[in-house]
Amino acid sequence: FYWRARAAEIVSAWHPHTIADLATGTGDLARAMQKKLPRAEVTGVDFLPEMLELARRKGVRRVVLADAMKLPFDDASFDCVTTGFGLRNMENCSAALTEMWRVLNARGHLLVLEFSLPTTPILRAAYRFYLHRCLPLLGSFLTQKKSAYEYLGDSIEEFPSGNGMCELMRETGYVSPSFERLTGGIVTIYTAAKS
């Protein structure tokens, strides 16, 4: 809740009227932004109909079934684009960022909330042990899907973080990229502007 609340707080400072939350899943980030910005139009976008149904049931007012890599929106459609724990799972991170840039208007902002690795060596070692040893076993016990939890740890390790992610944002056309680490670096919020 804290991570999403912090993301919604950052977005609210930009005073957007239109927001697209990509890979919205069950709509938790979209709902946090709706609460913080009740007058804004928040659109939850996901390619899984069952996720959008859950988001709708949770109170996300507007949902669109679409692939974040091929958005069905005109250029410059939104003041803000967000994604919470979704960019890491997209087929091509650079292409996804480019598509997000396309649908942002000239003064638009991007916010990416994503898992990352802690920066302190002791916490990083403990977190890696949890990600690669404990979480897959626990996940396998609870859901019988160990591979999904093995994927989670691997995808967090491979995802560009900190300055690497900021550089990727610059390469895809964004300006003033920055990042804020939360909870010892387990999660990072990345922000950037279109111009």
Side-chain angles (χ1 to χ4, degrees):
F1 291 108
Y2 164 69
W3 300 333
R4 291 181 188 96
R6 177 64 185 134
E9 184 180 298
I10 292 168
V11 169
S12 71
W14 298 328
H15 307 289
H17 298 292
T18 53
I19 304 167
D21 182 45
L22 308 184
T24 198
T26 58
D28 294 328
L29 180 55
R31 283 181 46 241
M33 290 185 293
Q34 279 181 179
K35 287 179 186 174
K36 196 77 174 168
L37 294 153
R39 291 190 178 96
E41 181 181 78
V42 180
T43 303
V45 179
D46 206 289
F47 73 99
L48 294 172
E50 56 271 23
M51 289 291 106
L52 291 179
E53 183 54 37
L54 288 170
R56 192 180 285 121
R57 277 194 232 143
K58 283 184 164 186
V60 177
R61 294 185 289 266
R62 184 168 189 252
V63 297
V64 172
L65 181 67
D67 183 342
M69 304 292 289
K70 298 174 194 151
L71 295 169
F73 307 116
D74 292 337
D75 294 356
S77 294
F78 296 97
D79 299 326
C80 179
V81 173
T82 64
T83 183
F85 311 109
L87 184 58
R88 178 177 41 82
N89 298 315
M90 293 180 194
E91 185 181 330
N92 181 319
C93 195
S94 292
L97 288 169
T98 300
E99 181 66 352
M100 294 173 201
W101 189 90
R102 181 187 69 78
V103 299
L104 277 172
N105 65 32
R107 294 185 177 183
H109 290 88
L110 172 69
L111 180 139
V112 175
L113 173 64
E114 195 53 82
F115 288 115
S116 52
L117 294 172
T119 54
T120 59
I122 292 172
L123 185 55
R124 181 180 283 234
Y127 186 62
R128 279 184 162 147
F129 180 80
Y130 169 76
L131 270 182
H132 297 291
R133 304 278 187 209
C134 302
L135 190 61
L137 287 175
L138 181 62
S140 177
F141 176 74
L142 295 174
T143 67
Q144 310 302 311
K145 296 181 181 178
K146 185 178 180 186
S147 62
Y149 292 92
E150 289 173 336
Y151 164 78
L152 177 64
D154 292 343
S155 67
I156 292 169
E157 292 272 4
E158 293 168 10
F159 189 75
S161 63
N163 291 322
M165 181 61 178
C166 288
E167 185 55 37
L168 187 58
M169 291 169 137
R170 276 188 208 91
E171 288 170 7
T172 51
Y174 295 92
V175 297
S176 305
S178 65
F179 63 94
E180 176 183 336
R181 296 185 195 279
L182 304 175
T183 317
I186 291 171
V187 165
T188 303
I189 294 177
Y190 301 93
T191 59
K194 184 164 182 176
S195 61

